[in-house]
């Protein structure tokens, strides 16, 4: 296992940070490393908002469900899928541009994720800790208003960055055999059951026996209600009509 | 710039590979490195199909618009957003599960992309070359049939992996100032125009003056028609109803 793979496999989310600030030049370098990720047809369909105003960070922390580290980490970024820049660019060449296709929503969301993950790896290679914040989709309209996002741009997730003040364990993942399938899709509920036992052991060890849960049980609250049911209308309103 | 950031910044797609095969144990290690990426609420909403049958690789190469390296690279993978595994797991706990939410499509697509990008970085750290294949969405139904994908699973993109038999230049990216914005969204068409000039120079140098185009012009064919207009119906049919 080379040192890069070792770094990748040591990832865990960090939610407690020291007071130390990330030098601005390093932050720029991390974004550049992010931009080096593959991008579909070179469209680079993303923008990153660096939220520096303390009152905005406080507000986003609250909108995301009370995640205080959004306000207290060194730097907080909002990764936006941005179809405005590439479609505007095409329009300026005189093209009649089509917007709002489902394909465009996917391309921009994937482009944004590839870029962010490269940036996460770059950050961790510098000894920083990161935490993705999907909670900004709890109220994406309020976040969009705060960041003055125009049409055809939507906030996909946030990211906290800073110097770690905690050293949590790496969380187990499904066995590779459950993920990688040969030639055709297959599934094996036994693998999930075995992983449920792994996670039960992990939670018990981590909480001194206080958390008696497993992977499947933890997923239940995500799916037994309509999670973020506003997303469809929100995206349509922003010009991602999913045509 | 540390060596990891240097590696990230040296990425370019590889489309010509030597005959050398990737050892299977290494491939598994790359997938494990992929799985170490962050995952929304730990759902790990992805499956990866390792396409080994030559006739299937030939067929996917054709479906993707005649990309022969899909058939000739050492290993070809199809990354699928998989909401079946986590929702089935929740269902087995006795939950009444909601499927087909727009939020779920986004979460699974982003999870898949984060995982794939980690895997791409791991591959490149081992001297491999990779190329993402968005072209599998040209005919995602045929690809899904070939891989026997069930409902609630859809193919997001493919990836070619192998030992590089070419050494292309790194493609320029937009300047970091165009991507990273402070506190509020802003845009500057001058930055795009400057980047158009950068890309024009890049194409001219690469083609000995034969390709006279720029970034904006290259984007035009992506947006002046309905790109992959089947995606919406395809996703709905697969159970991603975008509710």
């Amino acid at each position: 296992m080379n040192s890069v793979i070792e770094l990748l496999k040591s990832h865990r989310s960090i939610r407690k940070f020291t007071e130390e600030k990330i030098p601005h030049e390093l932050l720029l370098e991390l974004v550049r490393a992010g931009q080096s990720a593959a991008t579909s047809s070179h469209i680079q369909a993303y923008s990153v908002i660096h939220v520096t105003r303390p009152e905005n960070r406080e507000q986003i922390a609250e909108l995301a469900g009370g995640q205080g580290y959004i306000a207290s980490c060194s730097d907080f970024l909002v990764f936006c899928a941005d179809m405005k820049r590439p479609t505007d660019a095409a329009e300026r060449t005189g093209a009649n541009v089509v917007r709002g296709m489902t394909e465009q929503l996917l391309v921009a969301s994937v482009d944004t994720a590839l870029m962010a993950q490269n940036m996460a790896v770059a950050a961790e290679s510098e000894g920083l800790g990161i935490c993705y914040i999907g909670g900004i989709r709890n109220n994406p309209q309020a976040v969009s208003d705060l960041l003055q996002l125009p049409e055809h741009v939507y906030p996909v997730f946030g990211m906290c960055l800073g110097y770690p003040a905690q050293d949590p364990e790496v969380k187990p993942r499904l066995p590779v055999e459950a993920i990688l399938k040969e030639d055709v899709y297959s599934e094996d509920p036994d693998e999930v059951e075995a992983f449920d036992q792994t996670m039960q052991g992990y939670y018990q060890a981590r909480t001194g026996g206080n958390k008696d849960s497993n992977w499947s049980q933890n997923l239940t609250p995500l799916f037994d209600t309509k999670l973020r049911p506003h997303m469809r209308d929100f995206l349509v309103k922003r010009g991602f009509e999913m045509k």
Side-chain angles (χ1 to χ4, degrees), chain A:
Chain A
M1 187 159 64
N2 74 44
S3 62
V4 176
I5 293 181
E6 213 168 312
L7 174 76
L8 296 171
K9 291 180 75 172
S10 66
H11 164 76
R12 63 274 194 283
S13 292
I14 296 295
R15 295 184 175 85
K16 265 182 124 167
F17 300 93
T18 70
E19 298 284 306
E20 193 179 345
K21 295 289 166 210
I22 301 172
H24 189 67
E25 191 40 59
L26 175 55
L27 190 73
L28 293 178
E29 190 63 8
L30 301 180
V31 178
R32 284 189 203 103
Q35 291 179 254
S36 303
T39 159
S40 180
S41 305
H42 205 215
I43 63 169
Q44 308 172 71
Y46 41 70
S47 287
V48 180
I49 314 288
H50 184 203
V51 188
T52 69
R53 293 180 196 151
E55 64 276 20
N56 287 8
R57 286 175 58 168
E58 294 283 356
Q59 203 172 332
I60 295 174
E62 199 167 311
L63 290 167
Q67 301 190 57
Y69 32 94
I70 292 174
S72 61
C73 63
S74 169
D75 292 86
F76 179 68
L77 305 176
V78 176
F79 287 79
C80 303
D82 186 342
M83 285 304 284
K84 179 174 170 55
R85 187 190 306 109
T87 55
D88 283 4
E91 205 160 49
R92 280 192 297 268
T93 71
N96 267 327
V97 160
V98 183
R99 294 186 176 93
M101 303 296 289
T102 300
E103 167 71 6
Q104 294 172 351
L105 172 67
L106 292 178
V107 160
S109 303
V110 166
D111 246 40
T112 304
L114 300 182
M115 188 271 191
Q117 184 55 22
N118 245 26
M119 191 173 160
V121 172
E124 290 178 342
S125 79
E126 285 286 328
L128 297 170
I130 67 111
C131 182
Y132 280 93
I133 305 291
I136 63 161
R137 295 194 306 276
N138 288 351
N139 195 334
Q141 187 58 57
V143 171
S144 302
D145 292 345
L146 210 56
L147 309 180
Q148 299 178 27
L149 302 184
E151 235 188 330
H152 310 297
V153 178
Y154 93 92
V156 190
F157 44 71
M159 189 187 285
C160 296
L161 296 112
Y163 293 92
Q166 62 176 177
D167 186 16
E169 263 182 85
V170 172
K171 211 168 179 176
R173 294 292 191 264
L174 283 158
V176 65
E177 296 75 22
I179 299 298
L180 187 68
K181 297 146 198 291
E182 195 163 310
D183 287 310
V184 295
Y185 189 92
S186 62
E187 55 185 330
D188 184 352
D190 289 352
E191 281 171 348
V192 170
E193 207 186 302
F195 187 61
D196 276 341
Q197 284 172 23
T198 302
M199 286 311 298
Q200 190 152 26
Y202 168 83
Y203 288 129
Q204 293 246 332
R206 224 177 50 149
T207 62
N210 280 330
K211 181 167 176 177
D212 186 24
S213 185
N214 63 33
W215 188 64
S216 298
Q217 286 165 358
N218 274 353
L219 293 175
T220 301
L222 290 178
F223 299 123
D224 69 358
T225 52
K226 293 185 177 178
L227 186 68
R228 299 181 181 136
H230 51 266
M231 280 308 289
R232 182 184 164 73
D233 286 351
F234 164 72
L235 286 168
V236 169
K237 215 174 125 192
R238 298 217 69 77
F240 291 93
E241 288 111 335
M242 294 171 269
K243 288 187 279 198

